[in-house]
Amino acid sequence: MSLFASEPFPAADAPPLVVVAVERAVDRSPDGLTYALPPALAALPEGARVEVPLGRGETKTPGWIVRRIPETEDPGVDRAKVKYILAQDESGAVLPGELVQFARWISAYYACPIGMTLASILPAAVRKSIGRVERTLIDLAEPQPDPSATGAKKLNPRQKQALALLATLPRPIELTEFAHAAGYSSPAPVRALIASGHLVAHRKTAVEAGFIARSGGVAPAPEPTADQRAAFDAICADLGRFSQHLVFGVTGSGKTEVYIRAIEECVRRGKRAILLVPEIALTPQTVGRIAGRLVHAKVAVLHSGLTAAQRNQQWTLLAEGGADVVVGARSAIFAPIPDRSLGLVIVDEEHEPGYKQDSAPRYHGRDAAIRRAQLASCPVVLGSATPSLESWLNATERRLSRLHRLPKRAPGLQVPKVSIVDFAAERRGFRDGRVNLLGPTLREGIATTLDAGGQVLLLLNRRGYANYIGCSDPRCDWTLTCTECDAGMICHVDARGQIRRSFVRCHHCLAEQLLPKTCADCGKPVTVFGLGTQRVEEELSRTYPALVEGQTMLRVDSDTMQTAAHFHDALERFGKGEVRLLMGTQMIAKGLDFPNVRLVGVVSADTALALPDFRASERTFQLVSQVCGRAGRGEKPGRAIIQTFEPDAPAIRLAATGDFETFATRELTDRKEYRLPPYRRLARLVLRHPGETECEKRATDLADALRALAPEPTNPRAGGFSGVVEVRSATPCAVARIAGRYRWQIEVLADSAADLSKLLADARSRGLLRLGEELAVDVDAIAAM
Ligand SMILES: [Zn+2]
Ligand SMILES: [Zn+2]
């Protein structure tokens, strides 16, 4: 700027300028756009949600103040042309500064525009002020109006009585409550006393919501084991500075006790803690345990199972600094904890794929937790019996985090006895001509357990009745596929469990139709193959008179558990013992702790092994070990029976013996050899388009454009990178078409997170990544999309 410019310095009354990130899917200027604050809003802080005029049409668009530009700084724009912010958002929500900073990292790392990222952090219930009520509180005016003054109202005896009563009550008191106490039938007489100056009133807003039920009472603290003590001592010693800890504890070893003690110490030091749990339905159980031990701490919960008003209430409570601990699913990592007060972040069952968000911003709750702790300079604790290979590598070879082993189950708990059953061999013994999904070993195990009064958990990772619908003539290769997706349809039986009235559903686009009776090619009858949870349910009711569907036996999968409340209710009935057998998909493998579960059955351990994903072995290992760990958590010993067609698969064999370290070492050797995560960082970009050729062309063009931005393999440092970035050729996705849209993907692999980020940032600044219907970017993708 020239010294002779007409306005070298802002005029004394120049409005303050701010940078606003608008809620749009494209962001060529990563930080945002410059706006001016009108006098009425001059004090708006960073983190406030606002409405701004955007573009030539001045379209009213929501956005966020991400930075106030200091008066001394050259804003880089012509002040005279800067537009004014229109209004503050009605909710009045303001995100703490640390959260805005955190959102910036999420936006940069997961390649999602900052405005969209901030929008996803603020729950809709808060934005819409659901449950917010205004109350009027009243108090006696000091001094009382002089009765001799001209124009002063004379009080009647009833009013004098009411004022005398108020003097004896705890004040300030709510207007309606006082009206009631004083015997008035409406608030009008009280309002008259305000008008006459005898009472003062002020308004207070609060969020009202239904009571959040929490299970469990006050619990005594158990004597910690030496391993538990060593872990929480090390964590507590790090309170006040950033450090990473991995608590690797076998199922039933008491990881929660370590968390509770660390949280206790964090709260004692006046700081706040975030505890993430993988499954919504597990939150009440965890909250109950925490609240039962930390009787003086205020515990908030944040998860999608809350009503909108409850969500707003909990969020507001946190934002006002009214909670010491927040327990919640993935999104609780965005808890609006006031600046400089976060003291500890814990991620339980850190290996769970459910921590990855499957819409933009596609963040990983665990990795985000590490970053949030780093920004707050506090320790982060990851816990698992089957750590992700990412976390294991960080704790061992890379020495980025401290490893705490809890190798033994808590005193009194025995390790369950695990048997692997070769299902192919068992099936040869069947003589009844039926399709049997439970072999003799598992059948016998269920019968013995039920007879002895125990409970059973049964895992099958596949919904529906049968997953393959085809022609009964072996010479014909017709199978029923979805017309809109490149995928087979899944057979489901109707609510009455009748196969005659079966329907088929596509698990990708959810299209449904009746089960056809005949083959579309040759007209012969249709037959269904394969397994699903419904079919197992049918076999169980046929085999065991004690198991009645919906009463003593419950099926838990996303078909039956449409809300978190359904799942919570199912778990409660199982906990009370009225349900004898709980069967379902991986939903039941996570963290359940029921002392009377004496048998865990895995109907088919192979369903996860068959996934077209380099993590298939890791997933299988985790699933089998986790579900086996649900057995024998009480006084009676437990056992687990695993049916498989691949009894020698290392993932299954090592899970059965509980040998995580051998599994991890083998698997990491393979990953290193093929240069797969966690040795490299992977981003997956998926393009979707209704036209097959167009989809392929766009994917190929984008891959070429990305490759042009990537560093030269021979001299990566020339472009500001530190290593090699490999942009693979575009290929069709595993499911090549969903809901009528073709899908192509590009995989980008980089030696470091920084290089991957740099490439994606370069692509964003060139406008190559416009997220939405046609493009998804998944950084650190953990599953095929
Ligand atoms: Zn479909
Ligand atoms: Zn046919």
Side-chain angles (χ1 to χ4, degrees), residues 471-473 476-478 519-524:
C471 182
S472 57
D473 185 341
C476 173
D477 61 3
W478 176 84
C519 168
D521 282 357
C522 71
K524 298 233 170 52

Side-chain angles (χ1 to χ4, degrees), residues 17 64-65 67 128 146 192 249 293 373 423 427 642 689 749:
L17 297 184
W64 297 79
I65 298 181
R67 197 166 77 85
K128 295 177 189 156
D146 180 359
R293 285 283 302 283
F423 198 55
R427 238 173 32 157
I642 302 164
H689 198 272
L749 285 140

Side-chain angles (χ1 to χ4, degrees), residues 134-206:
E134 282 210 353
R135 308 178 161 285
T136 306
L137 296 175
I138 55 160
D139 203 344
L140 286 166
E142 295 284 354
Q144 286 283 305
D146 180 359
S148 59
T150 34
K153 282 240 168 78
K154 263 200 131 182
L155 294 175
N156 63 39
R158 178 111 192 251
Q159 286 176 315
K160 284 184 183 155
Q161 223 176 12
L163 290 179
L165 171 71
L166 181 59
T168 67
L169 294 175
R171 287 162 290 146
I173 184 172
E174 202 178 323
L175 190 150
T176 48
E177 196 184 334
F178 173 61
H180 183 77
Y184 291 125
S185 56
S186 87
V190 184
R191 294 225 168 86
L193 284 168
I194 299 168
S196 64
H198 291 89
L199 298 179
V200 286
H202 56 267
R203 283 174 169 271
K204 188 173 176 251
T205 57

